[in-house]
């Protein structure tokens, strides 16, 4: 038996979040051979949508390593402290930076994230991403 870890964005999914049938098929085929397949991603569990889980994944390492799940069992779930969270939010707000907080039970946007400030941040981030195949 082998353990196989697959990244999500730009690997399992393309940059438009499409899941190719070939990826689902390849995962199922390798599982039929007795292997276990996990996703290893910066995403929180809240961002692993049902259509990804429906492949039949065996678990995940998420939140940049802060969350580990094997089947239905959570093996690791690290959080930042409420004090550190407050410091981060205060720092961002003092600089008029929009943000969202990500957790395993949801994504929580700052008050004006959907306004022009939040959209500007997303545009700048998207422009810095290297499209698949262009590196």
């Amino acid at each position: 038996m082998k353990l196989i870890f697959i990244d999500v964005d730009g690997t399992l999914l393309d940059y438009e979040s499409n899941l190719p049938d070939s990826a689902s098929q390849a995962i199922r085929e390798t599982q039929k051979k007795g292997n276990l397949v996990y996703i290893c991603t910066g995403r929180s569990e809240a961002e692993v949508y049902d259509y990804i889980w429906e492949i039949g994944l065996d678990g995940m390492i998420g939140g940049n390593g802060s969350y580990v799940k094997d089947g239905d069992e959570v093996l690791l779930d690290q959080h930042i402290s409420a004090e550190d969270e407050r410091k981060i939010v205060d720092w961002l707000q003092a600089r008029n930076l929009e943000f969202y907080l990500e957790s395993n039970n949801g994504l929580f946007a700052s008050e004006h994230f959907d306004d022009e400030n939040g959209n500007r941040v997303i545009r700048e981030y998207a422009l810095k991403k290297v499209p698949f195949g262009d590196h």
Side-chain angles (χ1 to χ4, degrees):
M1 172 180 56
K2 295 180 183 177
L3 300 178
I4 299 167
F5 298 90
I6 301 173
D7 182 36
V8 175
D9 298 300
T11 305
L12 181 61
L13 305 180
D14 65 19
Y15 285 111
E16 284 79 41
S17 294
N18 297 309
L19 174 65
D21 289 337
S22 59
S24 299
Q25 183 178 353
I27 288 171
R28 289 184 183 114
E29 289 295 319
T30 198
Q31 288 173 317
K32 285 179 186 175
K33 295 176 182 177
N35 300 307
L36 300 176
V37 180
Y38 297 81
I39 53 173
C40 188
T41 178
R43 290 178 179 224
S44 65
E45 188 170 27
E47 286 189 296
V48 180
Y49 306 119
D50 289 342
Y51 73 97
I52 300 170
W53 284 115
E54 288 168 0
I55 298 169
L57 297 165
D58 295 293
M60 73 178 288
I61 298 174
N64 294 313
S66 66
Y67 183 76
V68 178
K69 185 174 180 180
D70 180 32
D72 291 329
E73 182 181 359
V74 176
L75 304 176
L76 176 71
D77 190 4
Q78 295 179 318
H79 302 265
I80 62 171
S81 69
E83 179 183 343
D84 285 345
E85 180 183 340
R86 174 58 26 214
K87 287 178 186 177
I88 293 165
V89 168
D90 288 347
W91 186 90
L92 291 165
Q93 289 176 333
R95 289 156 179 80
N96 295 316
L97 296 170
E98 299 305 322
F99 58 91
Y100 71 88
L101 303 176
E102 183 174 341
S103 72
N104 286 318
N105 58 0
L107 305 175
F108 306 93
S110 59
E111 183 178 356
H112 300 290
F113 189 82
D114 288 338
D115 296 346
E116 188 58 33
N117 289 333
N119 291 332
R120 178 183 50 80
V121 170
I122 291 171
R123 279 194 307 275
E124 288 175 14
Y125 173 75
L127 288 173
K128 292 177 184 177
K129 290 187 85 158
V130 178
F132 185 73
D134 289 353
H135 39 10

